[in-house]
Amino acid sequence: MYEANDELLRSHLYMNVINSLEKAGEHITINRNVLERLKKPRRAIRVSIPVRMDDERVEVFNGYRVQHNHTLGPFKGGIRYHASVSMGEVAALASLMTYKNSLLNLPLGGAKGGVQVDPSVLSKVELEALTRRFTSELSPFIGPDKDIPAPDVGTDSETMAWMLDTFSLESGFSQTGVVTGKPVEIGGSRGRDSATGLGVVYIAEKTLETMDRSLSGASIAIQGFGKVGMHVGIEAHALGAKIVAISDVKGGIYNPNGIHISELLRYMKKNKFVKDFPETTPISNEELLSLDVDVLCPCALDAVIHEKNMHNIRAKIIVEGANGPLTPEASEHLTRSNVLVVPDILANGGGVVVSYFEWIQDIGWLFWSEQEVRNRLKEIMTNSFKKVWNFSRTYQSKENKYNLRLSAMSVALLRLEKAMKLRGQAW
Ligand code: GLU
């Protein structure tokens, strides 16, 4: 393919995705050629991004966009700003987007982008310059009909507004549909900010129902209190769940009787982090992961539950708010131990679902109320959960009765295979 191939194979996350592709391939009858094609992304773009820093120095950052597959529709996926970003990581996340969009029945392919940078050490002026230059470098490859970026770790609606403006300036006219997750005032969708977290909560609710439990009164621990975790906290609390523990990069807090979320949000306006919030005790990240709760939501980065700490997990349900928070070993071990692990491509799909709503609202120049967005989101998340749940029963293997990761991947692959066959792409 291209020189990036070796880099992909060196990435743990990329190999993890290949691993779950292979595993699903062993369980379903699927054309081998389809699997082989999906193992490599269609296109990988690497760019250098020179930025004049505030002290007049020029720093050159590495930027990536990987377009994995567009059989089902235009490429779609977020842009990540993080120091750990690499071609392999971006390619893995791009392929997860292909499976996520397929599973959710969206007319979209999969892509992901990223810049190797710690955004917290850049000034706003530097971040804007970085984003604008990155967008210029990507502009031949993106567009409302081609590839539509969105926020991910380290980026937000402001980043999307800069991307939209740069792309529109270069095209000579306003193209609001080139990105999703932008501010409502410039074509964003109502409810996009809370969408991923809300989707996680709908999925947690459905999973609890399979155990004849309801969300109301269920205990929840949330790792990561950013764009995803914060909204999991707000939405789950509103539906009566008891949020007993929360952690962010600076540390965690614990209260077995439930944390008062609106007070915490007020506290964070001043203090930025959850640390030292009154009426809670401090808790480490590892302690949070091993709490005996009904639902554990890892909503930060990948590989936080792995071979070394997987034996400590006591939660009954894990809902993956982040992409790839469990390593394959951890996922398999917990599934064997009867923990219901709801995989990322299903659990955190709410973000891209509302991105899809935003994209069609932009194309139609007609905007929906927040309630309409929430209703439609609930319908898609619930239907997708049902599909995966029903599929998981067909395995009937005693030790892996409810292997939701394998089932989600299988449902996604079967839809892709069908589409590839119809398009004459599967020989
Ligand atoms: N970054 C989010 C994800 O991983 C959203 C992607 C999008 O909205 O395109 O699903």
Side-chain angles (χ1 to χ4, degrees):
M1 180 186 37
Y2 48 83
E3 40 144 336
N5 225 347
D6 292 344
E7 244 179 288
L8 303 191
L9 302 180
R10 278 198 303 272
S11 154
H12 286 299
L13 196 57
Y14 195 77
M15 293 315 292
N16 292 352
V17 179
I18 299 272
N19 178 295
S20 62
L21 191 71
E22 284 287 351
K23 285 252 158 62
E26 286 164 17
H27 276 80
I28 51 176
T29 314
I30 187 164
N31 183 331
R32 273 312 303 178
N33 297 339
V34 166
L35 290 185
E36 287 310 309
R37 286 188 70 153
L38 290 170
K39 279 187 195 165
K40 288 177 187 170
R42 184 180 178 101
R43 185 188 276 152
I45 303 152
R46 182 207 309 258
V47 297
S48 299
I49 313 165
V51 177
R52 189 191 298 276
M53 307 300 276
D54 293 346
D55 62 5
E56 297 292 308
R57 241 175 350 105
V58 169
E59 219 175 295
V60 185
F61 296 91
N62 296 320
Y64 308 91
R65 182 79 180 165
V66 175
Q67 298 175 330
H68 177 255
N69 181 280
H70 65 168
T71 300
L72 298 171
F75 295 111
K76 181 86 191 83
I79 300 275
R80 173 173 290 205
Y81 287 177
H82 195 272
S84 76
V85 162
S86 65
M87 181 63 95
E89 181 183 278
V90 171
L93 295 166
S95 42
L96 281 180
M97 288 308 302
T98 299
Y99 308 125
K100 194 182 295 187
N101 293 336
S102 175
L103 171 65
L104 297 162
N105 218 14
L106 304 177
L108 297 167
K112 197 79 161 203
V115 179
Q116 199 178 64
V117 60
D118 175 0
S120 69
V121 299
L122 263 60
S123 70
K124 198 153 176 171
V125 173
E126 290 166 342
L127 269 179
E128 180 173 347
L130 174 96
T131 304
R132 288 189 180 276
R133 183 60 186 255
F134 184 41
T135 310
S136 289
E137 294 297 337
L138 292 186
S139 65
F141 306 101
I142 60 173
D145 304 318
K146 288 192 208 168
D147 181 358
I148 308 127
D152 196 78
V153 174
T155 57
D156 56 18
S157 58
E158 188 172 47
T159 324
M160 294 305 114
W162 293 328
M163 290 192 83
L164 156 59
D165 190 62
T166 309
F167 187 80
S168 298
L169 282 173
E170 290 189 2
S171 337
F173 62 104
S174 193
Q175 301 224 49
T176 53
V178 65
V179 288
T180 58
K182 54 195 172 285
V184 172
E185 294 77 2
I186 52 171
S189 176
R190 290 188 177 84
R192 176 62 184 84
D193 284 350
S194 54
T196 312
L198 183 58
V200 167
V201 173
Y202 287 148
I203 292 295
E205 192 173 27
K206 289 276 99 201
T207 316
L208 281 159
E209 276 173 22
T210 68
M211 299 172 154
D212 293 323
R213 294 279 316 272
S214 96
L215 189 66
S216 175
S219 57
I220 302 191
I222 306 172
Q223 190 232 6
F225 208 56
K227 281 197 296 288
V228 180
M230 181 182 289
H231 290 284
V232 173
I234 297 171
E235 303 290 347
H237 181 72
L239 291 170
K242 199 164 65 172
I243 316 295
V244 295
I246 298 175
S247 70
D248 60 29
V249 283
K250 301 274 179 197
I253 54 175
Y254 175 64
N255 180 343
N257 300 317
I259 296 166
H260 203 295
I261 298 292
S262 39
E263 290 285 318
L264 174 65
L265 296 178
R266 250 193 301 280
Y267 172 85
M268 285 177 68
K269 279 213 174 97
K270 253 207 239 134
N271 300 276
K272 264 184 101 181
F273 301 100
V274 299
K275 207 167 152 261
D276 298 331
F277 178 58
E279 288 173 40
T280 60
T281 45
I283 188 172
S284 72
N285 214 28
E286 286 300 320
E287 284 165 339
L288 178 141
L289 294 174
S290 59
L291 284 175
D292 184 5
V293 285
D294 294 315
V295 186
L296 171 64
C297 299
C299 297
L301 289 171
D302 61 279
V304 293
I305 303 177
H306 42 72
E307 257 172 316
K308 293 207 178 95
N309 63 4
M310 65 191 189
H311 297 284
N312 304 336
I313 303 293
R314 287 184 293 158
K316 295 172 193 65
I317 296 172
I318 299 180
V319 184
E320 295 188 336
N323 287 314
L326 271 63
T327 63
E329 296 78 24
S331 184
E332 270 164 42
H333 164 77
L334 291 166
T335 303
R336 267 199 308 274
S337 321
N338 275 330
V339 177
L340 277 177
V341 178
V342 190
D344 42 13
I345 59 171
L346 171 63
N348 69 31
V352 73
V353 168
V354 178
S355 273
Y356 164 63
F357 294 164
E358 178 171 334
W359 179 63
I360 55 181
Q361 289 173 81
D362 287 334
I363 292 171
W365 300 101
L366 187 72
F367 293 89
W368 308 346
S369 70
E370 178 151 1
Q371 197 51 51
E372 184 160 6
V373 169
R374 291 172 78 99
N375 294 347
R376 288 179 188 250
L377 172 64
K378 187 166 190 175
E379 193 182 326
I380 294 186
M381 298 310 289
T382 308
N383 288 342
S384 305
F385 179 85
K386 275 192 207 145
K387 249 191 268 173
V388 173
W389 184 256
N390 291 338
F391 199 94
S392 76
R393 292 170 177 218
T394 63
Y395 285 133
Q396 289 305 329
S397 119
K398 263 184 220 126
E399 51 162 0
N400 276 345
K401 200 160 177 206
Y402 295 112
N403 193 331
L404 302 182
R405 184 179 307 285
L406 213 55
S407 305
M409 198 65 172
S410 304
V411 174
L413 282 175
L414 289 170
R415 176 175 176 225
L416 267 169
E417 185 198 36
K418 206 177 268 173
M420 286 168 91
K421 274 191 182 149
L422 286 168
R423 287 183 58 155
Q425 296 175 344
W427 310 296

